[in-house]
Amino acid sequence: LGYREHDIFRDPTVHLSTQAGSLMGESEWRSVTLDGAECAGTLSNTAEPGVVSASVDQGRFVYIGTYPSLFGRNHYDRASTATLMKLCGLTPMARVDAGLPVTCRVLEHGTDRLLFVFNHARQGGAAHVVPAFAFTEATTLYTDPVSGLDVVDDTGLDLTLSAKGVVVLRLTA
């Protein structure tokens, strides 16, 4: 795929600089040399390639020489998540504004979309979810006894989430 991996170095925090922004990783980083792929980001501690990218058929391969998922699990970092999505050419299906580690998943079929909202924190709180698509109706399909849908308006969905709470909504176009 256009790169060669060499050594693995243990490091509790890894910082990568990319054209899409800053990306954090955790646990280790790997030294690589380019063999046809392009350097999409460098390791801040060595200036060596840390993110490698190559065209594959009609898509794109992106290799990240550390573990952004481990960093994200232990440290809430919206900027690193946004950088990772830009590097991979992904557009979020929903934006979440919350002071909690809240994630969303969207499943779609025809004009119906199921929106799963997960609070990963051990405390409850509020979240404002802005879907990246138009909808005319929001129906609650599942919620725990504390969580729920509070307000639906032009700016999105206001939710109350319990500690480790889950809300599932059907959003209809």
Side-chain angles (χ1 to χ4, degrees):
L1 291 169
Y3 76 99
R4 295 194 184 278
E5 193 174 274
H6 300 287
D7 300 315
I8 299 172
F9 299 94
R10 300 276 177 225
D11 198 338
T13 305
V14 181
H15 181 261
L16 298 160
S17 297
T18 77
Q19 7 3 358
S22 181
L23 183 62
M24 300 299 292
E26 193 168 302
S27 180
E28 63 188 41
W29 59 273
R30 295 159 188 255
S31 72
V32 299
T33 54
L34 301 178
D35 188 15
E38 65 185 57
C39 177
T42 57
L43 292 154
S44 296
N45 60 338
T46 66
E48 293 177 20
V51 181
V52 173
S53 181
S55 293
V56 178
D57 294 325
Q58 296 178 6
R60 188 141 206 84
F61 167 79
V62 177
Y63 169 84
I64 300 169
T66 187
Y67 295 103
S69 59
L70 288 179
F71 185 83
R73 183 182 69 190
N74 296 319
H75 312 279
Y76 181 65
D77 184 19
R78 185 180 297 229
S80 277
T81 302
T83 298
L84 183 60
M85 292 188 73
K86 283 183 202 170
L87 282 170
C88 296
L90 301 173
T91 302
M93 292 293 290
R95 188 184 83 238
V96 178
D97 296 319
L100 302 167
V102 174
T103 58
C104 293
R105 306 279 192 300
V106 177
L107 299 176
E108 54 187 323
H109 179 73
T111 60
D112 282 349
R113 290 184 171 101
L114 298 182
L115 175 69
F116 296 77
V117 183
F118 304 93
N119 178 12
H120 300 282
R122 293 185 181 156
Q123 66 188 46
H128 182 73
V129 179
V130 182
F133 49 86
F135 66 95
T136 57
E137 185 179 351
T139 306
T140 302
L141 299 180
Y142 172 82
T143 184
D144 59 69
V146 176
S147 298
L149 178 61
D150 299 327
V151 177
V152 179
D153 62 24
D154 293 344
T155 67
L157 308 159
D158 289 328
L159 302 164
T160 298
L161 297 166
S162 66
K164 301 289 185 178
V166 177
V167 174
V168 181
L169 303 169
R170 174 183 288 130
L171 303 178
T172 307

